[in-house]
Amino acid sequence: MALRQIVRYPDPRLRQRAEAISVFDDALRALTTDLLDTMLAAPGVGITAPHVGVLARLVVIQIEPGTEPRIYANPQVVWSSPEIIRHVEGSVSMPGVTEELERPARVRVSYRDLDGIEHEEEAEGFLAVCLQHEIDQLDGIFWIDRLSRLKRDRVIKRFEKLQRR
């Protein structure tokens, strides 16, 4: 439908907790479509409503091009594995920089679909990483908050340097 302006780091809205979705209507479907279009144009594999300045608990993930996007309203991690994996992460709100993070290898997530129906799903590997990354964002935890202070400072400096170009 429409591309939305992506909120860029260090905008304080990226540190705010998103509100639970209580109305599952055409406006929510339109926002979901806008999020997908915006994410694909960025480009990215995941995006949240807060990434476009809307403080709603909505996530869109599409890991493989051409596959059906995954939509999660009000997602939350209800279980995570003790096993840890390392994966490179970044953000549409901080384009051009990435860093390796550690996260649980598997998670179980509860969420609602666009009709408000409750679901639960288990994910592993890259999808598990994406879900944790985006749910963190909904909770006001920006991905670099998971880095050591040294790595976080380096990422911020690289991003600032890119912004000056």
Side-chain angles (χ1 to χ4, degrees):
M1 287 183 94
L3 292 182
R4 299 225 185 174
Q5 181 76 30
I6 294 175
V7 173
R8 298 285 187 213
Y9 176 86
D11 191 300
R13 291 175 290 180
L14 295 170
R15 306 280 188 185
Q16 291 181 305
R17 185 173 176 82
E19 299 289 327
I21 295 168
S22 58
V23 178
F24 296 83
D25 60 4
D26 288 341
L28 181 63
R29 286 176 177 71
L31 174 59
T32 302
T33 301
D34 290 355
L35 283 174
L36 178 61
D37 292 345
T38 303
M39 179 190 74
L40 294 174
V45 296
I47 195 168
T48 66
H51 281 117
V52 297
V54 178
L55 290 175
R57 296 187 71 79
L58 181 64
V59 172
V60 176
I61 295 174
Q62 186 180 39
I63 294 174
E64 295 292 328
T67 61
E68 192 67 26
R70 296 169 177 263
I71 314 299
Y72 303 88
N74 301 333
Q76 62 182 26
V77 175
V78 295
W79 172 85
S80 57
S81 70
E83 300 85 28
I84 300 295
I85 59 172
R86 296 175 70 83
H87 205 283
V88 174
E89 297 185 31
S91 175
V92 295
S93 290
M94 197 179 211
V97 294
T98 58
E99 188 58 65
E100 192 174 66
L101 282 172
E102 290 184 348
R103 293 194 186 263
R106 295 185 326 275
V107 293
R108 185 176 310 119
V109 174
S110 68
Y111 67 97
R112 293 183 182 267
D113 64 21
L114 292 179
D115 294 318
I117 298 169
E118 290 186 38
H119 297 273
E120 202 168 271
E121 94 177 41
E122 283 198 25
E124 63 183 356
F126 187 48
L127 179 56
V129 168
C130 290
L131 283 165
Q132 292 171 84
H133 176 103
E134 303 305 350
I135 292 169
D136 270 357
Q137 184 63 64
L138 296 177
D139 291 335
I141 301 168
F142 197 61
W143 73 280
I144 62 173
D145 297 339
R146 298 280 185 197
L147 297 170
S148 70
R149 183 179 199 93
L150 178 63
K151 284 186 178 183
R152 184 173 48 248
D153 289 347
R154 287 180 184 166
V155 166
I156 291 169
K157 283 180 184 173
R158 285 196 320 255
F159 182 65
E160 289 170 345
K161 185 176 179 181
L162 285 171
Q163 298 305 296
R164 289 192 295 266
R165 288 186 183 172

